[in-house]
Amino acid sequence: MYVILVYDFGEKRVAKMLKLCRKYLNWIQNSVLEGEISEVRLKELLILAKGFMKEDEDSIIIFKGSKQYSFEKEIVGKERCRIDNFL
Amino acid sequence: MYVILVYDFGEKRVAKMLKLCRKYLNWIQNSVLEGEISEVRLKELLILAKGFMKEDEDSIIIFKGSKQYSFEKEIVGKERCRIDNFL
């Protein structure tokens, strides 16, 4: 399944969250990642994130789409991490 | 059309960007908005944003989906702005 994951974490936990997410998805902007991931892998990611997130302060939003081509993506301004897929 | 808009703006411009975006879309997390918008209104939003954004520093990513139900949304942790639609 194709997902877009956006997180909003406190400063002390933000780097850890990015490091974790990058193991599962492709980084496209500061706190935004996207990619193909299975339900099982996504659950794993969320369990690991819940291990250190503060649920009253931090948040994660996941948009799940069954097929990537149901989205069209437009980027304006600085594009970060274009080569993320190849690292 | 249904869009998810994520922006990453420098601190000096971030509040202005949020204020602008909230005129067009529903705020769901710090720098994430979503909603139904026409191509024309989206173009208008981008023209206004380009008026003050620094294209070498700031970025906007727009995910366009033709139908909202092609997404399923999952929120973990603190949910911001739930009543945004009603303000």
Side-chain angles (χ1 to χ4, degrees), chain B residues 34-45:
Chain B
E34 65 168 356
E36 281 290 328
I37 190 168
S38 67
E39 281 283 359
V40 173
R41 294 261 299 158
L42 181 61
K43 264 190 191 162
E44 188 181 289
L45 166 56

Side-chain angles (χ1 to χ4, degrees), chain B residues 1-16:
Chain B
M1 117 193 109
Y2 170 73
V3 305
I4 299 164
L5 185 153
V6 188
Y7 61 83
D8 179 22
F9 270 46
E11 213 180 323
K12 286 182 185 168
R13 296 170 300 280
V14 76
K16 193 169 179 180

Side-chain angles (χ1 to χ4, degrees), chain A:
Chain A
M1 127 190 102
Y2 170 73
V3 305
I4 299 165
L5 185 152
V6 189
Y7 61 84
D8 179 21
F9 270 46
E11 214 181 324
K12 286 181 185 169
R13 295 172 298 282
V14 76
K16 194 168 178 179
M17 182 58 180
L18 175 59
K19 196 177 166 188
L20 171 66
C21 290
R22 290 186 74 181
K23 290 180 185 160
Y24 294 84
L25 295 164
N26 305 314
W27 188 28
I28 51 171
Q29 199 197 55
N30 241 352
S31 57
V32 188
L33 299 99
E34 66 167 356
E36 281 291 328
I37 189 169
S38 68
E39 281 284 359
V40 173
R41 294 261 303 159
L42 182 60
K43 265 190 189 159
E44 187 182 289
L45 166 56
L46 292 177
I47 288 166
L48 292 171
K50 283 174 182 172
F52 64 90
M53 79 183 283
K54 290 199 176 181
E55 298 208 20
D56 55 337
E57 286 182 29
D58 304 336
S59 74
I60 303 168
I61 302 179
I62 297 151
F63 299 95
K64 301 177 185 179
S66 57
K67 286 172 186 171
Q68 184 163 0
Y69 53 80
S70 65
F71 293 90
E72 183 193 331
K73 187 169 64 181
E74 182 177 345
I75 298 178
V76 180
K78 187 183 176 186
E79 188 175 359
R80 293 177 198 255
C81 334
R82 282 192 69 172
I83 58 159
D84 189 69
N85 288 349
F86 311 106
L87 291 180

